[in-house]
Amino acid sequence: MKEGRKGMERSVDDRYTQWKSLVPVLYDWLANHNLVWPSLSCRWGPQLEQATYKNRQRLYLSEQTDGSVPNTLVIANCEVVKPRVAAAEHISQFNEEARSPFVKKFKTIIHPGEVNRIRELPQNSKIVATHTDSPDVLIWDVEAQPNRHAVLGAADSRPDLILTGHQDNAEFALAMCPTEPYVLSGGKDKSVVLWSIQDHVSALAAEPGSAKSTASGGANSKNASKSGGNGDKPLESPSIGARGKYLGHEDTVEDVQFCPTSAQEFCSVGDDSCLILWDARSGSTPAVKVEKAHNADIHCVDWNPHDVNLILTGSADNSIHMFDRRKLTSDGVGSPIHKFEGHSAAVLCVQWSPDKSSVFGSSAEDGILNIWDHEKIGEKQDYGELKIPNYPPGLFFRHAGHRDKVVDFHWNASDPWTIVSVSDDGESTGGGGTLQIWRMIDLIYRPEEEVLAELDKFKSHIFGCDKSC
């Protein structure tokens, strides 16, 4: 068994060494940041500033500690270098055990329990929701929250709002609505729960900069007493109950997602291998239930923001399925319009590109983050005499910069081909894991005729230099 483990580590190291040698060729920009503690989630916040060569943007992370210091929600400032600015020889010259100069911690919030998931409110990305190992969803106004020093014994920060409604821990399934200030969650109680935080968001807008925001959530709003994780005096945070509770899963709900055009429609996936579509206008039972959407637990789901008929699911069966909601099943079981098989371990995260409707990313326990384009399926590729490995249909880029499971990633809507990804590879990096911010070279994803025209100009330039030498 030890020999097998050593062999696996060798192959991961070999893969990583090969990847690092190709960084100057494949990437327009890359920043590698060694974390002190593992982060289970990474999300882009608002863009703060635009400059000539780079933009400054908020980045939300977490610190999952061993108990020697508190767990935290981290607000960082990130310098995002603009396309075609970074020199190729510089981006590959990083030390795996060092912090990146492009990522600076701005604020620390002491979180009651470890942060399993972070989601930002699309209408106001300074409002974030977090999941921990409890039934509640916590809402934070990250700009108004005071900066805290995370030392042993420090009291937990006080959430701006607590969302109640689950009967058991809700640890991962979390989404915020693109059209209304609604929050969606799923948990071990097999339920999907919906809240509106409209009143809370309105109160924050009325009192900008107030660190003691309160929610006036109507009849179901009340003050809830929540004890801090260290047994200190209780935290007093306003709380609101659920707007709706939806039952149809037979096991833990692992992920949820809103329809991009409707706050009333959403979907969920779980350990029962089911994909369920819901419509809040027609009651609390499933609108459509897709049995056997995969052959194992389903970990993640995403709904295409450009084409609302397309839904992606990722599973412990190592595959990603793409469903068309107009024809979800065949003979009573899930009937995806395509299966993407390019991972060798459980898929943990799927996300559509904010820029191109046919492109999406997937990350997995194999340490790989794949970028796919479903429009490329069936395209004949002419490589001449080059011997190219037989890649799965639709796959056009593999990010192999992580050396263990890639637990989360997020496309940057302000800079659409820039991705932040985080992995739990602390053992191989001498830290708590690795955060990478990266952008593939644009010759890979731009239209072929555009790229060929540019390379043709470059060829003329090279030949011109040869003649003048």
Side-chain angles (χ1 to χ4, degrees), residues 222-262:
K222 62 185 185 300
N223 269 0
S225 232
K226 294 283 163 193
S227 294
N230 51 21
D232 279 355
K233 60 187 178 187
L235 297 170
E236 294 288 334
S237 292
S239 79
I240 54 171
R243 184 186 182 95
K245 195 165 181 175
Y246 305 88
L247 298 169
H249 281 285
E250 287 160 31
D251 207 333
T252 300
V253 179
E254 292 287 357
D255 202 11
V256 289
Q257 193 56 256
F258 280 98
C259 173
T261 56
S262 169

Side-chain angles (χ1 to χ4, degrees), residues 255-257 267-269 275 277 293-294 298-305 307-315 319-325 328 336-340 347 349-353 357-362 370 372 374 409 411:
D255 202 11
V256 289
Q257 193 56 256
C267 64
S268 58
V269 293
L275 162 66
L277 271 62
H294 281 266
I298 308 178
H299 292 150
C300 47
V301 64
D302 199 26
W303 205 317
N304 193 320
D307 181 348
V308 293
N309 288 316
L310 297 182
I311 294 170
L312 289 172
T313 55
S315 167
S319 73
I320 300 113
H321 289 182
M322 183 168 73
F323 289 92
D324 185 326
R325 70 167 173 171
L328 288 162
I337 53 174
H338 196 77
K339 296 179 182 180
F340 300 88
V347 178
C349 186
V350 289
Q351 197 195 3
W352 291 102
S353 159
S357 61
S358 59
V359 171
F360 66 90
S362 63
N370 283 330
W372 309 79
H374 70 76
F409 72 93
W411 296 87

Side-chain angles (χ1 to χ4, degrees), residues 119 192 247 277 306 318 325 348:
R119 290 292 179 264
V192 173
L247 298 169
L277 271 62
H306 305 283
N318 307 353
R325 70 167 173 171
L348 300 176

Side-chain angles (χ1 to χ4, degrees), residues 318 343-349 362-370 404-407 409:
N318 307 353
H343 288 288
S344 60
V347 178
L348 300 176
C349 186
S362 63
S363 70
E365 289 184 0
D366 58 8
I368 298 290
L369 201 166
N370 283 330
D404 210 330
K405 56 186 177 187
V406 182
V407 290
F409 72 93

Side-chain angles (χ1 to χ4, degrees), residues 111-129:
H111 198 271
E114 63 188 44
V115 181
N116 297 328
R117 191 70 48 103
I118 306 165
R119 290 292 179 264
E120 71 291 343
L121 186 65
Q123 306 92 39
N124 181 354
S125 55
K126 68 175 188 160
I127 307 288
V128 305

Side-chain angles (χ1 to χ4, degrees), residues 17-177:
T17 304
Q18 184 187 23
W19 168 80
K20 196 169 179 183
S21 71
L22 292 170
V23 165
V25 181
L26 296 176
Y27 293 82
D28 177 73
W29 180 59
L30 181 135
N32 187 90
H33 185 71
N34 183 246
L35 298 164
V36 179
W37 299 105
S39 180
L40 296 182
S41 200
C42 57
R43 300 292 288 186
W44 291 106
Q47 196 173 74
L48 304 173
E49 189 185 339
Q50 292 191 345
T52 310
Y53 299 112
K54 57 189 178 183
N55 299 324
R56 200 154 56 89
Q57 191 167 351
R58 289 272 195 261
L59 189 60
Y60 303 136
L61 306 165
S62 67
E63 291 178 315
Q64 183 189 19
T65 72
D66 61 1
S68 58
V69 291
N71 291 286
T72 65
L73 171 63
V74 173
I75 294 88
N77 284 340
C78 180
E79 305 283 346
V80 182
V81 174
K82 289 188 173 180
R84 298 198 166 203
V85 167
E89 63 271 20
H90 289 158
I91 61 172
S92 60
Q93 291 173 358
F94 60 83
N95 176 357
E96 284 79 4
E97 296 184 12
R99 316 277 175 258
S100 168
F102 296 102
V103 180
K104 298 231 167 36
K105 194 182 279 192
F106 170 72
K107 184 183 283 187
T108 299
I109 292 167
I110 298 180
H111 198 271
E114 63 188 44
V115 181
N116 297 328
R117 191 70 48 103
I118 306 165
R119 290 292 179 264
E120 71 291 343
L121 186 65
Q123 306 92 39
N124 181 354
S125 55
K126 68 175 188 160
I127 307 288
V128 305
T130 56
H131 254 327
T132 184
D133 297 341
S134 90
D136 299 332
V137 177
L138 307 180
I139 303 292
W140 308 87
D141 176 354
V142 294
E143 297 301 319
Q145 281 285 332
N147 188 20
R148 300 288 305 281
H149 189 41
V151 293
L152 185 62
D156 294 333
S157 295
R158 173 182 173 264
D160 290 276
L161 187 64
I162 296 171
L163 310 184
T164 63
H166 279 292
Q167 303 306 309
D168 200 345
N169 284 1
E171 296 173 358
F172 292 102
L174 184 63
M176 290 182 118
C177 178

